[in-house]
């Protein structure tokens, strides 16, 4: 996957060799980095980066719209998945 053509994708919390990715709250931590305080003074996840589950594993759902607003953040998420040898699926 390259950043030249942005796509929706899912980072799945399992390595390419089948091991569950640790720590168990990794998806929330990654999404927390992309979050902001809203008008009601509460932290809210970005609409482009959301935690969830996929195939029974903690996952991060990435919307291609992130590339248009924050291309470096989009590239960071792609590189995070590569560096940690995590499965990535199209969304």
């Amino acid at each position: 996957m390259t950043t030249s053509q942005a796509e929706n994708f899912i980072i799945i919390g399992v390595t390419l060799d089948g091991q569950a990715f640790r720590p168990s709250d990794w998806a929330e931590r990654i999404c927390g980095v992309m979050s902001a305080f809203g008008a009601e003074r509460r932290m809210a996840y970005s609409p482009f980066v959301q935690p969830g589950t996929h195939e029974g594993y903690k996952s991060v759902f990435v919307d291609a719209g992130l590339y248009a607003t924050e291309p470096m953040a989009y590239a960071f998420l792609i590189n995070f998945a590569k560096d940690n040898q995590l499965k990535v699926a199209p969304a």
Side-chain angles (χ1 to χ4, degrees):
M1 179 180 314
T2 65
T3 56
S4 62
Q5 185 175 8
E7 303 173 349
N8 295 340
F9 64 95
I10 306 166
I11 303 172
I12 305 167
V14 62
T15 61
L16 297 174
D17 63 0
Q19 300 297 313
F21 189 62
R22 297 282 184 238
S24 61
D25 65 344
W26 73 271
E28 291 83 3
R29 288 182 187 199
I30 289 291
C31 293
V33 170
M34 307 287 178
S35 63
F37 281 100
E40 61 281 342
R41 298 182 184 201
R42 298 186 79 164
M43 190 66 88
Y45 289 126
S46 164
F48 301 115
V49 184
Q50 297 283 319
T53 58
H54 183 76
E55 298 179 353
Y57 294 99
K58 294 259 184 149
S59 301
V60 173
F61 295 79
V62 181
D63 186 287
L66 179 64
Y67 183 74
T69 58
E70 292 290 340
M72 290 178 64
Y74 186 87
F76 167 79
L77 292 169
I78 290 172
N79 290 326
F80 176 84
K82 284 181 186 176
D83 292 347
N84 291 288
Q85 299 180 354
L86 297 174
K87 286 187 179 181
V88 176

